[in-house]
Amino acid sequence: MRYVWPILLGLVIATSVWAGVPNRDYVDGVLLVRFADDVEILSSTDGSMTVGDATIDHLLKRFNVKSWEPFFGPYIIQNEEYRYQTRNDIKFWFPEGSDMELITAEFMQSEFIAYACPDLLFRWSYEPDDPSYASQWWLRSIDAPDIWDYTKGEATILVVPIDSGVDFNHPDLIDNIWVNPGEDLDDNHYPVDTLMGFTDLPGTSGDWDQLDNDGNGFINDYIGWDWVNGASDAHPNEDGSTPDNNPMDFGGHGTGVSAAMAEVGDNGIGGAGVAYNCKIMATRCGYSDRDNNGYTQLSAAAAGLAYAVDNGATIANMSFGGYSQTTFMDNACQNAWNNGMLLFGAAGNEAVSNMSYPANYDNVISVAAVDNNGARSYFSNWGNWVDIAAPGESCFTAWFDDTYDTWQGTSVASPIAAGVGALVAGWYPNATNSEWANYVINTTTELSTDHPVGSGQVNAYNAVTQFYWPQLTIEEWSMSDPDGNGHPDVGEEIEVRLTVSNEEGWQDALLASARIDFSRAGVNFGNQEILLGNITGGSEINNNSNPLTFTVPAGGLDGEFNIFTLTVTSMPNDYEIGVSQKLMLGTPEVLFVEDCGNTNLGDFIAENLDANWYNYYRWDTNELDSSPSADYLQDYDLVIWMTGNETDPFTTADQTAIQTAMDNGADFFIFGQTIDEQLAGTDFYANYLHAQSTGETAQAALAMIPDAGGPDIPDGQLVLVGPGGAGNNNNPDPITPVNGAVAKATFFNSTNAGIIYYEGNDTKLVYCPFAFEAISGANNTLTRSETLLAIMEWFNIQDTPELSSETVIPSSWAIESVYPNPFNPSTTIRVAAPASGDMQVRVFDLLGREVATLFNGRVNAGMHNFTWQATNQAAGVYFAVMEANGHRAVSKLTLVK
């Protein structure tokens, strides 16, 4: 895109030429002429035409001119300056099969002619693609979902596809079709008459008066115009000869272009366009020939662009092109630009560096195509003349005849970029089109491609916000822990420190401040909010010398979760970011010791604890590189200690700590695969776990012993294999209860115990010599959740009273919450399951690539939590996707580092 001052336009026009290129096409028998002076065309009695110049009159007779009409037909250009500039532009019709190159050359020799060329046909810049999937990866690739939190486009912004028409009654486009206010007599702002059933005709019955109500020379141009004229080679299914008020698309190209810009979003059907609240002006300037090749007529494109200018369009997309420069199209583009429009053009699909037009005209943003990895698409043109790139492969959009398709080419890349332009124009209504262009071109995502494709890939979020807000990131934050137990305790003053950066190239953050809050009362703030100061682009700041502070007072929230929020705000435009974390205040009843090494097995137990709203503190021995001490264990009413598949999991220090805590009245629920193998025959095993090894192995199933007492686990069976469990069961060990313990369940192939319980000496114990996390609930057996719930109740551990009502069976499949979000380094996705079924929970990045599978198996009805540890992932936006029983839910995740 090149910017020129208006005073130079005349020079540019005067030096434009029509350059012959291979594979050029034009309308059969049509010559476009601009006379150097005012002219009056007269018809003689013999049918010939004269213009008052002997040379031209001779040429008109020599080549047997048939008819003529003004370049724009009956349409009256509303802009006086452009109407004057084009007053001598004429379209002549010669017999079919005429040598238009010869005719053009002859006319150009006359001083009476300022410019002449055939009515060129520009090929559409797309290649069909097999629609094997319907994923709109390209919206995520340009960060459209991020900016939709702020703007989805404005209804005042009118986008126009200079293309093959629009399927204006498509259910995913109809609500965004522009209605000409000058012809909308019934003022219902609707493009078709759904009540009368005339959905293929523009306008509604209250508008149909066959009058030119807006005085532009067209009768009943309700939603736009079909400019195609004289296309004798048009496909039999297409209208090739009659300009009219019905700009219906016949093949899909224009519909796809329109959809990429402004397909209706958030309406429960199909997909969405980039700026899905904007309006679409329906123009038809192209057609498909008998061989299904797509063309846009030069005269139709120029006329359609002029019509768009006169009717207040803001964004124009031109997904066609060739290597011929023409004064007519250049004039049309400059007129649009000078009247405030923002123009986009497809760079072309020949994989060459040749300059394509109209993309390379001054003040047109030229758009190349890239794939989902940010590489130049194999077909895309390239070169230093290209301004930007946009996704151009496997792009799913609405298509002709109320359908959808997946297609590719710079034809779809260009309207995707134009959609970003529409978002920008709506966000900055008082800016100029030059400023809009600057925002789009200079906020792209940098690419590394084999050939130059401009400044990078268009980025919707950056284009709208980079010149509006700073781009702050909480690089790190920390909370002091005076006694080192991992959470704030009663009486401790906690200090919060953070480091905030501002991305280079973005607005300076002015008067930035930081604040801490909690979701529930009961915390005393010392330094709740502080001023950080100004943060220029490319710099960072911290509050190490002035920490935020709070205290958990006596009588406050002791042993309960609270939502902690750290917020950073700044000017300009009330910018705000933040992080939140589920935080345990004080000491809860339950300590969950996750002694499983570097695995995620603890997530299965945490899911059940969370689903039943228990307050607990999670001690991960791998992350903390230590086990809790005896003094620490004694602070809790119940210790759940799981060892997963770890070999010899209990150190001597661990055994001593557990023994001391039990002696002082702590209760324990202990389970693991190899505990029996490690501790068999030891005094600790007999006197504290109250078990004796049988030296045998057992099947992966157990049965409850009726009337055995202890935890009120429902009578039934437990299965340690199948979906819904951890899948880590391996040769569970039957045991015999000793020293006062009682068997609660036995293995199927054994009379020996699989679950035992003990109660005495002021302590309680439940011990399982197998992987409790492997309980699956398959085939209508007991679930891990209900089994754990019964055990917790036996230990007199209560769920959180104010949240217990939320444990009812949900009514629909959904991702109910993501917490915390934003997060670092992990977050928990809470999924609602109204019934049992097969479920998959996965995480995808912005390019649609799967980065994690959190769950793939069968679940029972209820709430299920899945934790994503994103330590090795880059900061940015991700998407959690839940699929189950034909249902799908998506939630955005933001990883901050």
Side-chain angles (χ1 to χ4, degrees), residues 92-113:
F92 285 107
W93 300 82
F94 294 90
E96 293 183 3
S98 297
D99 187 342
M100 298 311 299
E101 295 179 42
L102 173 62
I103 294 174
T104 299
E106 293 282 357
F107 271 76
M108 284 293 291
Q109 292 183 34
S110 170
E111 295 181 356
F112 202 57
I113 302 297

mmCIF file of all heavy atoms in Angstrom, residues 92-113:
data_model
loop_
_atom_site.group_PDB
_atom_site.id
_atom_site.type_symbol
_atom_site.label_atom_id
_atom_site.label_comp_id
_atom_site.label_asym_id
_atom_site.label_seq_id
_atom_site.Cartn_x
_atom_site.Cartn_y
_atom_site.Cartn_z
ATOM 1 N N PHE A 92 -18.639 1.332 -24.862
ATOM 2 C CA PHE A 92 -19.082 1.032 -26.227
ATOM 3 C C PHE A 92 -19.215 -0.473 -26.405
ATOM 4 O O PHE A 92 -18.396 -1.255 -25.912
ATOM 5 C CB PHE A 92 -18.077 1.577 -27.251
ATOM 6 C CG PHE A 92 -18.139 3.072 -27.436
ATOM 7 C CD1 PHE A 92 -17.139 3.883 -26.928
ATOM 8 C CD2 PHE A 92 -19.200 3.650 -28.120
ATOM 9 C CE1 PHE A 92 -17.189 5.257 -27.089
ATOM 10 C CE2 PHE A 92 -19.253 5.032 -28.289
ATOM 11 C CZ PHE A 92 -18.256 5.833 -27.763
ATOM 12 N N TRP A 93 -20.245 -0.857 -27.169
ATOM 13 C CA TRP A 93 -20.494 -2.267 -27.456
ATOM 14 C C TRP A 93 -20.235 -2.531 -28.946
ATOM 15 O O TRP A 93 -20.820 -1.875 -29.820
ATOM 16 C CB TRP A 93 -21.935 -2.648 -27.123
ATOM 17 C CG TRP A 93 -22.275 -2.432 -25.673
ATOM 18 C CD1 TRP A 93 -22.633 -1.267 -25.085
ATOM 19 C CD2 TRP A 93 -22.263 -3.412 -24.644
ATOM 20 N NE1 TRP A 93 -22.853 -1.445 -23.740
ATOM 21 C CE2 TRP A 93 -22.645 -2.759 -23.440
ATOM 22 C CE3 TRP A 93 -21.993 -4.778 -24.605
ATOM 23 C CZ2 TRP A 93 -22.748 -3.416 -22.226
ATOM 24 C CZ3 TRP A 93 -22.103 -5.431 -23.400
ATOM 25 C CH2 TRP A 93 -22.467 -4.767 -22.220
ATOM 26 N N PHE A 94 -19.336 -3.485 -29.223
ATOM 27 C CA PHE A 94 -19.013 -3.904 -30.579
ATOM 28 C C PHE A 94 -19.501 -5.336 -30.777
ATOM 29 O O PHE A 94 -19.841 -6.036 -29.813
ATOM 30 C CB PHE A 94 -17.506 -3.810 -30.813
ATOM 31 C CG PHE A 94 -16.985 -2.388 -30.775
ATOM 32 C CD1 PHE A 94 -16.559 -1.820 -29.588
ATOM 33 C CD2 PHE A 94 -16.946 -1.607 -31.924
ATOM 34 C CE1 PHE A 94 -16.100 -0.517 -29.521
ATOM 35 C CE2 PHE A 94 -16.484 -0.302 -31.882
ATOM 36 C CZ PHE A 94 -16.049 0.246 -30.682
ATOM 37 N N PRO A 95 -19.546 -5.802 -32.007
ATOM 38 C CA PRO A 95 -20.027 -7.173 -32.239
ATOM 39 C C PRO A 95 -19.178 -8.197 -31.489
ATOM 40 O O PRO A 95 -17.969 -7.998 -31.284
ATOM 41 C CB PRO A 95 -19.890 -7.344 -33.756
ATOM 42 C CG PRO A 95 -19.946 -5.947 -34.293
ATOM 43 C CD PRO A 95 -19.275 -5.093 -33.272
ATOM 44 N N GLU A 96 -19.823 -9.288 -31.083
ATOM 45 C CA GLU A 96 -19.093 -10.359 -30.407
ATOM 46 C C GLU A 96 -18.010 -10.893 -31.339
ATOM 47 O O GLU A 96 -18.200 -11.025 -32.544
ATOM 48 C CB GLU A 96 -20.049 -11.485 -30.008
ATOM 49 C CG GLU A 96 -21.048 -11.084 -28.938
ATOM 50 C CD GLU A 96 -21.927 -12.236 -28.508
ATOM 51 O OE1 GLU A 96 -21.708 -13.370 -29.008
ATOM 52 O OE2 GLU A 96 -22.836 -12.021 -27.680
ATOM 53 N N GLY A 97 -16.862 -11.196 -30.755
ATOM 54 C CA GLY A 97 -15.742 -11.705 -31.530
ATOM 55 C C GLY A 97 -14.838 -10.630 -32.085
ATOM 56 O O GLY A 97 -13.849 -10.935 -32.758
ATOM 57 N N SER A 98 -15.162 -9.360 -31.816
ATOM 58 C CA SER A 98 -14.315 -8.270 -32.301
ATOM 59 C C SER A 98 -12.937 -8.352 -31.664
ATOM 60 O O SER A 98 -12.771 -8.817 -30.541
ATOM 61 C CB SER A 98 -14.946 -6.916 -31.962
ATOM 62 O OG SER A 98 -16.197 -6.757 -32.608
ATOM 63 N N ASP A 99 -11.921 -7.876 -32.418
ATOM 64 C CA ASP A 99 -10.546 -7.854 -31.921
ATOM 65 C C ASP A 99 -10.393 -6.644 -31.003
ATOM 66 O O ASP A 99 -10.063 -5.539 -31.463
ATOM 67 C CB ASP A 99 -9.569 -7.774 -33.095
ATOM 68 C CG ASP A 99 -8.113 -7.929 -32.654
ATOM 69 O OD1 ASP A 99 -7.840 -7.754 -31.443
ATOM 70 O OD2 ASP A 99 -7.266 -8.213 -33.520
ATOM 71 N N MET A 100 -10.616 -6.843 -29.728
ATOM 72 C CA MET A 100 -10.646 -5.716 -28.798
ATOM 73 C C MET A 100 -9.265 -5.113 -28.581
ATOM 74 O O MET A 100 -9.145 -3.923 -28.269
ATOM 75 C CB MET A 100 -11.255 -6.152 -27.463
ATOM 76 C CG MET A 100 -12.700 -6.624 -27.560
ATOM 77 S SD MET A 100 -13.746 -5.463 -28.482
ATOM 78 C CE MET A 100 -13.598 -3.993 -27.486
ATOM 79 N N GLU A 101 -8.217 -5.909 -28.742
ATOM 80 C CA GLU A 101 -6.874 -5.344 -28.609
ATOM 81 C C GLU A 101 -6.579 -4.377 -29.744
ATOM 82 O O GLU A 101 -6.000 -3.302 -29.526
ATOM 83 C CB GLU A 101 -5.842 -6.467 -28.561
ATOM 84 C CG GLU A 101 -5.986 -7.353 -27.338
ATOM 85 C CD GLU A 101 -4.956 -8.470 -27.329
ATOM 86 O OE1 GLU A 101 -3.789 -8.208 -27.664
ATOM 87 O OE2 GLU A 101 -5.327 -9.593 -26.959
ATOM 88 N N LEU A 102 -7.004 -4.745 -30.956
ATOM 89 C CA LEU A 102 -6.812 -3.853 -32.100
ATOM 90 C C LEU A 102 -7.655 -2.593 -31.932
ATOM 91 O O LEU A 102 -7.164 -1.473 -32.148
ATOM 92 C CB LEU A 102 -7.207 -4.586 -33.390
ATOM 93 C CG LEU A 102 -7.210 -3.723 -34.664
ATOM 94 C CD1 LEU A 102 -5.808 -3.183 -34.953
ATOM 95 C CD2 LEU A 102 -7.753 -4.526 -35.839
ATOM 96 N N ILE A 103 -8.903 -2.765 -31.544
ATOM 97 C CA ILE A 103 -9.782 -1.606 -31.359
ATOM 98 C C ILE A 103 -9.197 -0.665 -30.309
ATOM 99 O O ILE A 103 -9.156 0.559 -30.492
ATOM 100 C CB ILE A 103 -11.196 -2.074 -30.957
ATOM 101 C CG1 ILE A 103 -11.847 -2.846 -32.106
ATOM 102 C CG2 ILE A 103 -12.063 -0.886 -30.553
ATOM 103 C CD1 ILE A 103 -13.184 -3.457 -31.759
ATOM 104 N N THR A 104 -8.703 -1.236 -29.213
ATOM 105 C CA THR A 104 -8.113 -0.416 -28.154
ATOM 106 C C THR A 104 -6.908 0.355 -28.680
ATOM 107 O O THR A 104 -6.762 1.569 -28.427
ATOM 108 C CB THR A 104 -7.690 -1.293 -26.969
ATOM 109 O OG1 THR A 104 -8.825 -1.959 -26.440
ATOM 110 C CG2 THR A 104 -7.033 -0.464 -25.875
ATOM 111 N N ALA A 105 -6.046 -0.323 -29.393
ATOM 112 C CA ALA A 105 -4.848 0.326 -29.924
ATOM 113 C C ALA A 105 -5.206 1.469 -30.870
ATOM 114 O O ALA A 105 -4.575 2.542 -30.842
ATOM 115 C CB ALA A 105 -3.977 -0.709 -30.639
ATOM 116 N N GLU A 106 -6.208 1.254 -31.709
ATOM 117 C CA GLU A 106 -6.623 2.296 -32.652
ATOM 118 C C GLU A 106 -7.184 3.514 -31.911
ATOM 119 O O GLU A 106 -6.868 4.663 -32.232
ATOM 120 C CB GLU A 106 -7.672 1.736 -33.617
ATOM 121 C CG GLU A 106 -7.148 0.663 -34.566
ATOM 122 C CD GLU A 106 -6.349 1.246 -35.722
ATOM 123 O OE1 GLU A 106 -6.242 2.478 -35.837
ATOM 124 O OE2 GLU A 106 -5.811 0.456 -36.529
ATOM 125 N N PHE A 107 -8.048 3.276 -30.941
ATOM 126 C CA PHE A 107 -8.633 4.387 -30.203
ATOM 127 C C PHE A 107 -7.578 5.163 -29.427
ATOM 128 O O PHE A 107 -7.642 6.395 -29.333
ATOM 129 C CB PHE A 107 -9.705 3.870 -29.240
ATOM 130 C CG PHE A 107 -11.088 3.792 -29.843
ATOM 131 C CD1 PHE A 107 -11.425 2.785 -30.723
ATOM 132 C CD2 PHE A 107 -12.045 4.747 -29.540
ATOM 133 C CE1 PHE A 107 -12.695 2.710 -31.278
ATOM 134 C CE2 PHE A 107 -13.317 4.689 -30.097
ATOM 135 C CZ PHE A 107 -13.646 3.663 -30.974
ATOM 136 N N MET A 108 -6.576 4.466 -28.862
ATOM 137 C CA MET A 108 -5.564 5.127 -28.047
ATOM 138 C C MET A 108 -4.664 6.050 -28.866
ATOM 139 O O MET A 108 -3.973 6.898 -28.316
ATOM 140 C CB MET A 108 -4.717 4.085 -27.319
ATOM 141 C CG MET A 108 -5.417 3.437 -26.128
ATOM 142 S SD MET A 108 -5.714 4.601 -24.774
ATOM 143 C CE MET A 108 -4.042 4.891 -24.195
ATOM 144 N N GLN A 109 -4.677 5.899 -30.208
ATOM 145 C CA GLN A 109 -3.840 6.773 -31.047
ATOM 146 C C GLN A 109 -4.441 8.167 -31.210
ATOM 147 O O GLN A 109 -3.747 9.086 -31.631
ATOM 148 C CB GLN A 109 -3.649 6.127 -32.432
ATOM 149 C CG GLN A 109 -2.805 4.861 -32.385
ATOM 150 C CD GLN A 109 -2.566 4.279 -33.760
ATOM 151 O OE1 GLN A 109 -2.441 5.020 -34.740
ATOM 152 N NE2 GLN A 109 -2.476 2.965 -33.844
ATOM 153 N N SER A 110 -5.714 8.315 -30.871
ATOM 154 C CA SER A 110 -6.370 9.601 -31.073
ATOM 155 C C SER A 110 -6.153 10.514 -29.874
ATOM 156 O O SER A 110 -6.257 10.091 -28.724
ATOM 157 C CB SER A 110 -7.879 9.384 -31.284
ATOM 158 O OG SER A 110 -8.555 10.629 -31.249
ATOM 159 N N GLU A 111 -5.847 11.785 -30.138
ATOM 160 C CA GLU A 111 -5.703 12.766 -29.076
ATOM 161 C C GLU A 111 -7.041 13.051 -28.408
ATOM 162 O O GLU A 111 -7.093 13.640 -27.324
ATOM 163 C CB GLU A 111 -5.111 14.065 -29.626
ATOM 164 C CG GLU A 111 -3.691 13.918 -30.145
ATOM 165 C CD GLU A 111 -3.137 15.241 -30.662
ATOM 166 O OE1 GLU A 111 -3.909 16.227 -30.669
ATOM 167 O OE2 GLU A 111 -1.960 15.284 -31.045
ATOM 168 N N PHE A 112 -8.130 12.645 -29.048
ATOM 169 C CA PHE A 112 -9.463 12.866 -28.511
ATOM 170 C C PHE A 112 -9.786 11.880 -27.386
ATOM 171 O O PHE A 112 -10.766 12.058 -26.677
ATOM 172 C CB PHE A 112 -10.476 12.703 -29.653
ATOM 173 C CG PHE A 112 -11.793 13.382 -29.394
ATOM 174 C CD1 PHE A 112 -11.866 14.749 -29.122
ATOM 175 C CD2 PHE A 112 -12.980 12.659 -29.421
ATOM 176 C CE1 PHE A 112 -13.086 15.355 -28.889
ATOM 177 C CE2 PHE A 112 -14.194 13.270 -29.188
ATOM 178 C CZ PHE A 112 -14.253 14.628 -28.926
ATOM 179 N N ILE A 113 -8.915 10.853 -27.246
ATOM 180 C CA ILE A 113 -9.115 9.802 -26.247
ATOM 181 C C ILE A 113 -8.064 9.955 -25.148
ATOM 182 O O ILE A 113 -6.858 9.914 -25.416
ATOM 183 C CB ILE A 113 -9.003 8.401 -26.879
ATOM 184 C CG1 ILE A 113 -10.020 8.236 -28.002
ATOM 185 C CG2 ILE A 113 -9.181 7.318 -25.810
ATOM 186 C CD1 ILE A 113 -11.464 8.319 -27.542
#
